[in-house]
Amino acid sequence: MSVAKKDYKRITTKSLIEMKSNGEKISMLTAYDYTMAKIVDSANIDAILVGDSASNVMAGHETTLPITLDQMIYHASSVVRAVDRALVIVDLPFGTYQSDPKEALRSSIRIMKESGAHAVKLEGGSEIKDSIKRILNAGIPVMGHLGLTPQSIYKFGTYTVRAKEEAEAQKLLDDAKMLEKIGCFAVVLEKIPSALAKKVAESISIPVIGIGAGSGVDGQVLVLHDMIGMTHEFSPRFLRRYMNLYEDMSKAIGQYVSDVKSQDFPNANEQY
């Protein structure tokens, strides 16, 4: 029996759980600045992730590790000012939550107070359970993140698919159930086998958002700059490019340079 799609004026954590219950897929993209977030929100996206992927696409770092809490708050503040409908979730950056639950809470409070965001996201399962509980106990919504966790890249040594072996797959499933039990409102699963992701989504009542986790989950997330083709070096199997903005922008900028050099720009109609 199909359920009529609900028209949400403002997406909340409760909205996402309702969407899973009603069988409606959840759409999520990253954004890091006001202008892009305005466009993404106006297209009726359900959730915007202010990801620590800003370290890569905005600052040019090789990994997500260098970005700081202050920088994440700056990006999140810019996004929040642009958004009217979407739920805004912010990554806690590397080093701000892993070892000390009190520091995790302080970091989360700063994000919520200084940016106006709606939730935070943390990478990891049982090993950061105490940090997540401390944040949740303060009334701050938490989204989990399992599978490939980019902040642990030097531990894994590669960005390859995670949880292909039975032991790691079972731990991931157990961690997902644990995240649901302690009160997380959703979980991101990154770069894991689709059959496992589907099993996780069917095993818990909170939404499971996939990136490279197949179609059997409750929603999808991509990095905006990858999805619209502003980046062109990164081409994993799970990425669908909906535009080739790198090529279009390069052509436009090249034409502008040519027009300036030839004195075609500005023309008579473009002057006061």
Side-chain angles (χ1 to χ4, degrees):
M1 180 179 175
S2 62
V3 178
K5 182 179 176 181
K6 185 174 178 179
D7 183 21
Y8 293 99
K9 300 300 182 186
R10 186 88 199 209
I11 302 293
T12 66
T13 56
K14 181 183 176 184
S15 306
L16 299 188
I17 293 169
E18 284 181 353
M19 290 166 76
K20 171 166 181 156
S21 178
N22 292 336
E24 179 182 348
K25 297 294 187 181
I26 297 163
S27 60
M28 185 160 82
L29 283 170
T30 64
Y32 318 100
D33 66 86
Y34 177 88
T35 303
M36 295 290 252
K38 196 79 174 172
I39 296 169
V40 172
D41 186 61
S42 68
N44 251 25
I45 202 80
D46 296 315
I48 292 176
L49 173 65
V50 185
D52 57 5
S53 47
S55 180
N56 310 106
V57 299
M58 301 298 286
H61 293 296
E62 184 180 359
T63 71
T64 62
L65 274 62
I67 199 163
T68 66
L69 183 60
D70 285 340
Q71 290 168 334
M72 289 301 300
I73 290 170
Y74 167 79
H75 286 295
S77 300
S78 303
V79 168
V80 168
R81 284 191 288 270
V83 168
D84 292 319
R85 180 180 181 272
L87 183 76
V88 179
I89 304 145
V90 183
D91 270 335
L92 279 181
F94 177 74
T96 64
Y97 65 91
Q98 284 92 342
S99 62
D100 182 359
K102 291 181 179 178
E103 184 180 13
L105 178 57
R106 285 193 294 269
S107 302
S108 300
I109 288 173
R110 280 200 62 200
I111 285 175
M112 301 296 283
K113 285 176 69 71
E114 296 178 35
S115 77
H118 309 131
V120 297
K121 181 168 77 65
L122 289 72
E123 294 184 7
S126 56
E127 61 276 9
I128 60 162
K129 179 180 178 180
D130 291 341
S131 289
I132 294 174
K133 288 177 71 174
R134 182 67 68 101
I135 297 167
L136 288 167
N137 286 341
I140 298 172
V142 174
M143 173 180 272
H145 183 148
L146 301 171
L148 176 64
T149 47
Q151 291 179 10
S152 301
I153 182 56
Y154 291 125
K155 173 185 173 183
F156 294 144
T158 176
Y159 287 108
T160 192
V161 175
R162 303 303 311 172
K164 290 191 289 186
E165 302 300 326
E166 185 176 346
E168 188 180 353
Q170 185 59 52
K171 182 183 185 306
L172 187 145
L173 179 59
D174 292 343
D175 279 343
K177 291 178 178 178
M178 180 274 296
L179 292 173
E180 175 191 27
K181 184 177 180 180
I182 65 175
C184 290
F185 72 89
V187 180
V188 168
L189 295 182
E190 181 168 357
K191 212 166 183 184
I192 68 169
S194 58
L196 174 60
K198 185 174 187 291
K199 182 178 180 180
V200 172
E202 291 172 347
S203 299
I204 60 178
S205 61
I206 59 174
V208 173
I209 310 297
I211 177 166
S215 60
V217 291
D218 305 303
Q220 301 292 332
V221 60
L222 286 175
V223 171
L224 177 64
H225 290 62
D226 297 337
M227 188 273 282
I228 60 177
M230 286 185 75
T231 56
H232 65 289
E233 308 91 346
F234 181 65
S235 297
R237 181 189 301 185
F238 64 78
L239 173 60
R240 180 183 296 183
R241 284 195 168 91
Y242 285 78
M243 300 176 67
N244 188 350
L245 210 53
Y246 181 89
E247 185 176 306
D248 292 344
M249 289 179 68
S250 296
K251 287 180 180 177
I253 294 166
Q255 186 62 54
Y256 167 75
V257 171
S258 176
D259 290 350
V260 170
K261 299 287 188 183
S262 68
Q263 301 183 53
D264 180 72
F265 176 80
N267 63 30
N269 294 327
E270 294 162 336
Q271 302 181 48
Y272 296 100

